Amino acid sequence: MADLATASSSSDSEAEENDDTRTPRLSARRKADSAVFAAWVQRQAKSITQNEVQAALENGPEENMSIRSLTAKQESQVIITDPREYQVELFEKAKQQNIIAVLDTGSGKTLIAVLLLKHIIDQELEDRAIGRKRRISFFLVDCVTLVFQQFAVLECNLDQNIAHFCGDMGCDLWSKATWRNHFDENMVIVCTAEILYQCLFHSFLSLDEINLLVFDEAHHTKKNHAYARIIKEFYIPQSDLAKRPKIFGMTASPVDARVDVKKAAKDLEAMLDCQIATTSDLSLLRMSVSRPKEQILVYDHLSPAYDTPLCSKLRSIYPDVEVFSKIFKFAHDATSQLGDWCADQVWRFALTDVESRKVERKTEQKFLRDQENRPMDVLNNELNRLREAKNLIEEWPFPPLRLETNSLSPKVLLLHRYLEHIYGRPTDTKCIIFAKRCKTARLLTQLLTQIGGLYFRCDLLIGSGSGDYGDVKFSFRQQILTLMRFKSGELNCLIATSVAEEGLDIPDCNLVIRFDLYDTLIQYIQSRGRARHANSKYLHMVEDGNIMHYQAIDEVRQGEKVMRQFCEALPADRLLEGNDRNLEVHLAKEKGQRIFEDPATGAKLTYANSLVILAHFVGCLPHSGKVAEQAAYVVSVENRQYVCEVILPEISPLHSAIGRPCSRKTVAKRSAAFEACCLLRQKEYLDSNLIPIYHKYLPQMRNAHLALNSNKSNAYVMKIKPNLWKQTRGTRPERLYAMVIELEYPDRLGRPCQPLGFLTRTPMPRFPPFLLHLQFHKASDVLCTPLAPAFDIDSAELGELTEFTLRIYKDTFNKTFEFDEAGMTYWLAPINPEWRHLLSTLQSPKMLLEWSVITLVFQNIEFSWSVDTPPQNLINRYLIDRWDGGRRFFSLAVEPGLKPHDKVPEDVAKHKHMGDILDYSVSLFARSRAKATWLEDQPVIRAEKILHRLNWLNNFSAKEAAVKTKAYVCPQPLKFSALPIAIVSMGYLFPTIIYRIESYLIALEACDMLGLSVKPELALEAITKDSGNTEDYRGEQLHVQRGMGKNYERLEFIGDCFLKMATSITLFSTAPDNDEYEYHVRRMVMICNKNLLSTALKCELYEYVRSQSFSRRTWYPQGIKLLEGKGHKKTGSEILKHQLGDKTVADVCEAIIGAALLSHDDMDMAVRAVTALVSSDDHNVTKWSDYYPMYTKPKYQVAEATASQLDLAMQVEKVHSYHFQYPRLLRSAFIHPSYTFLAEKIPCYQRLEFLGDSLLDIASVNFLYHRHPDKDPQWLTEHKMAMVSNKFLAALSVRLGFHKHLRSSGTNIEYQNREYVIEVQEAEKMAKGARDYWTNTKQPPKALSDIVESYIGAIFVDSEYKFHEVERFFDAHVRWYFEDMSVYDTFANSHPTTYLHNLMKLSLGCNNYRLMASEVPSVAPGGPVTSIAALIVHGKVVADGQASSGKDAKVKASSNALKLLRGLAPFVFRQQYHCNCDRKKKDSAGKNGHRLRTVGSAI
């Protein structure tokens, strides 16, 4: 028997599986891909050359090209080799002294500059050769277009390096080092004056480093023009004349106003420190320059102006409506100048829907500025009258257009007859018609388009100024595109305002008609200069007998003659007398204006350059490229002085600034810019050189500092047992609490079982049911029912319970523990199967314990067998192989037909000894078997071998179901356990059950540590990570842990949204002075993964994360010593570590917030969770009701509402049944950032939009989360994208009519909104009830989606933070669109990158790929940064893309990849790209390579 005892202790039921399958480490693969990509980027960067950039400029579609590209395409390259005599003459003068060359447009002034530049360059080369300081020449122009035009000429005529710069190229944002580079590399720079001015006041360049300044269109050198600033601030203060550069000015006329010619000329000479000069022989000039033939078109005498019936009616009803005054005057005058038809049409222009809203806003703004205690009824009455006027216009019967005197004026009829004569047949004539006013030009365009004839093709060309009511605005881009159509012949007539007089290159024009005569000499000269073609005509339209018209012609002709005589009469050696005095007069006007000088660098901020600096700052801000970002200046009158507010773009960290009261509007504007720059410097958005430090990559960079590397991981200790066990054991208990553990469907186990009592020192919480897989396709929930109250236990009873529990460990799992009642963590006991029926009649749960069974087991270590044992006592027994811990049986029946030495029947569980049944029953080694003797006449028992299955949480596989369990054994070699088979059946399930119970307890302790009350099932879900890459929802899951239940991913999804909302609410409530940008930054600091990780590390949350499925080594109770069995030699409890990524730990934090949210009907616990996990003073509340008291209603919200604001609330309430307590809050929701604050003293919608965005987010997520409980976070995210997309919200905005209430100051915004509204309404009609109609529209203006979010924010604030109002809005207006989410399955998938990921992973089965992007610096000076992206498949670049940003480059790369991969059969893809991912996946299916690592033991 000694051998038997030794053998008994050496075996163990828990044979460890040896599975060495490993999934290749992703990190190694990623490193390899990164190396491949880096090498590819290096090669690719070399191929992005300046020639390619230029080719892209030249060949790109014009409608998609930038303004810079369009103007570049208009360059005319002319090489001039034979200068004319007058050009040489002026060149010689310019060599000797500073001069202003006065010559006609088209006479070749630029060539004189070329000759002078060649001379200066030659001198400069000589100076450099003898070691003098390097100097450079600047050719300064007044507008961007001229930069390209003049550069083209210089580039063709100079053999030195030349550069050209303008603000559109981004060069105004360059550093000093970049500029020094350009100065060193080039001899001449062509640029706008503002560029040089910036370089000078930033000290990038000093005046003594310039050898020549060329001023094109030099007549602009006055007042606050950049030309004048350069002279006033840098040229004049340079007292050393040797260090001043030479100056050469060019102009067609030094006079651009109706002033004394001689005085104006002397002032210009004083400002530029020059002498005016022209050719001494004008005949030479006339021979060289083609002047148009001037003619006078005389039209019949105009009838006196009068009011048309429409105008009379309007004037009689609305004589005192101030905003109509200019329209009344224009319409009245138009009856004489243009005719009745035009006079009436102007009202249509002025009172369209868009213009009417403008008029209403202007009226309201003026009323609020000048209110002076007038009642709101006054404003209400004015607005109602405006609306009545609009309705009157819409219903008015406008007469048709007729070519007769009553309908059109003689002036217009003459113009029509002349044009009909020219364009009545095919012709090459190109004509420009000049009108003074935008309305006139617009009316003529509309009129002539209708009656111009078959060969007449005209369009409008006007400036980009704000204009009056009814005026349209042209962007610079529209001007260029219109000119390109004119040059190509698509148009043959332009109806233009003064914008076409100067700067724009229109060389092919051969007919100029002055429909309205000029006001100044330079207008005459420059408009005449538009007709450069040979045999051109210049027509003055004058009224018959109108002396003023003829005088105007005489004045300009006489003025030109006086100017010529003045220039010719100037002696060559004259002194510039009086210049200093004249200059002092100009400088005196600026005395008293504030100046800021940075103490560190000496950079100077003045009223003049503050406009430039602020414009540079705005130019640095990120924008979509669809709308030009610029600062808006709004001037109002307060106490008879002008006050200006400057409004910065929506993305700016500073929203607006208000200047000091000033006596002049221009100074007020500069004062506002000065204040804004001071604030930006104070907040360090401008550096010490007054250069913006904020640029378009800052938000991404800022977020990058807060982001975590998703690949980074650390080894953390993982908690194995709940702290509760350690805290409660150590003494013999006198009272115990009971919890009943049972199967909901015990019959599915396939053998008898009965409930177990789980007895502990402290009460257990109510655990949720959890599923065990009992047999193949058979499962049952485990039910855990805590019983109350506690019951007393005496010493004897405790001893019996302890022995019963230890016997289960011994007989079932071959583990012998020390009998230590104080060290026991819990006890197990059989429970009466009818316990539920008895519960109501019993006084104590103790009475449910089957003490007879407990005593029986306590008294009997085992049941002995003898030949006298009745056969029935051998059935339904638990049999244990004494020498092989892995062999245990349930006895089923005695087989009288079989004998011990019979052959082992077929289909039995395999064993190493298969000689006969007795041999099959013995597991002794050979030596011991030889000594052992057995009875020959013992019975044979049919039994079921018990499977080694401990993780019942995992699915019961088909492989396990196929394992043979039938056995035939003899009783003598086996041990008959005293444990009833029903207890043993539950005992085998207990390891899995206690693993799940302890997991629940650990999860609850994690929540308790954070002060949270969370449901156990949600708490466990929140901390469960069931694979090596849980967060990669659609990727191949690595190191999958089976049977762990739900992981944290869905809770993290909803927790992330609640975290965003909660922090948004506190920031909105506690930081009323912050703008949206600061909100975003402060919120990001709180909710970023870096902050969450920091909090988690401080409280050691990583210990509680469950990353390991059931382990047979860790379920055993701690506190009692293991005497026999595997692991009995260890001296302490195991310490396990697990690898967790930093992002995983942060994600768990968000999941806990989600669990707290879903555990209760209110949001209080989730609020507390946010406070605990963000650990920030910006969120320090413990319940939802704490939020609103933090909010202090701002003055604008509680101020008295105007009639217009009340009307807005009434209109919106009809759409959504919510009544606003504070209508001004609602108005704020519809005020665009471009709208001036001074208009209504109400802030823009940005703050409310910031809040509403997070509220809509959580409402949408709540809907998706509960409606689709089985969808993964990737699906939820993709479909949430549809619900909160700009496309949907903009469509909803239009459907609700919100777009009508948007208040903005910007033609582009209104134009884009109007176009989108038409498109989406048409899409809805065509959809015939389809709810996804909005997906088929173009990308909408963001403002339309913003106002939906800001409205949601407004109702939330107005309702005192009642979230149910947000849900009510969602249910009323959003839910309907998304009842069937399958409609939007392709919404996210339509995005190329998403489609590519799904194609690679789901269709092609490939996981070894990466889509990567990188930036490549531009080779062109000042050019934009280029980003390139590539798809790498199994270490090779498959497709690539190039764009201005990494995100867009990835989209292009994805699109190109889809062209290659879409439609490929998987086997073709695998063959072509050497992919074996799918095969590897199959090979490793069902294998679990994720293991915990035992680090050591804690003594």
Side-chain angles (χ1 to χ4, degrees), residues 157 430 441 450 852 940 998 1067 1168 1198 1210 1246 1463:
N157 290 278
K430 289 187 177 180
Q450 295 185 40
S852 59
V940 173
E998 290 179 336
L1067 289 172
R1168 184 178 298 176
V1198 298
M1210 181 183 68
Q1246 284 181 317

Side-chain angles (χ1 to χ4, degrees), residues 251-268:
T251 182
S253 169
V255 182
D256 65 347
R258 303 185 80 166
V259 295
D260 181 83
V261 173
K262 292 184 178 180
K263 180 180 183 303
K266 289 182 178 180
D267 285 346
L268 184 62

Side-chain angles (χ1 to χ4, degrees), residues 361 1230 1232 1245 1298-1304 1313 1343 1347:
R361 293 170 195 171
F1230 292 104
H1232 190 269
Y1245 62 57
F1298 282 2
H1299 64 287
K1300 300 176 183 177
H1301 309 303
L1302 178 65
R1303 298 203 162 189
S1304 64
N1313 290 351
I1347 56 178

Side-chain angles (χ1 to χ4, degrees), residues 1124-1142:
E1124 291 182 3
K1126 180 173 284 188
H1128 73 279
K1129 295 182 179 179
K1130 293 181 179 179
T1131 58
S1133 58
E1134 288 185 335
I1135 297 176
L1136 298 184
K1137 287 194 174 184
H1138 53 172
Q1139 291 288 134
L1140 296 179
D1142 289 349

Side-chain angles (χ1 to χ4, degrees), residues 1057-1067 1166-1167 1170 1179 1187 1254:
C1057 291
F1058 187 88
L1059 174 61
K1060 174 183 172 183
M1061 180 190 69
T1063 50
S1064 299
I1065 292 173
T1066 55
L1067 289 172
V1167 171
V1170 171
H1179 192 284
Y1187 282 135
S1254 64

Side-chain angles (χ1 to χ4, degrees), residues 413-439:
L413 290 172
L414 176 62
L415 175 65
H416 173 252
R417 286 196 301 271
Y418 189 87
L419 293 174
E420 192 174 38
H421 171 72
I422 298 296
Y423 293 102
R425 59 188 180 281
T427 179
D428 292 332
T429 299
K430 289 187 177 180
C431 170
I432 301 178
I433 301 171
F434 281 100
K436 280 186 181 179
R437 302 187 62 178
C438 173
K439 287 187 181 69

Side-chain angles (χ1 to χ4, degrees), residues 3-4 7 881 883 912-913 922-926 928-929 932 934:
D3 287 339
L4 300 182
D881 189 326
W883 305 284
K912 55 187 176 182
H913 304 293
V922 179
S923 297
L924 287 171
F925 294 124
S928 297
R929 292 173 70 85
W934 310 105

Side-chain angles (χ1 to χ4, degrees), residues 47 340 397 405 465 561 609 654 659 829 854 1014 1096 1118 1135 1164 1331:
S47 67
D340 291 9
T405 306
K561 182 179 179 181
N609 67 21
L654 177 71
I854 297 171
V1014 178
Q1118 295 179 345
I1135 297 176
D1164 288 352
R1331 303 184 185 189

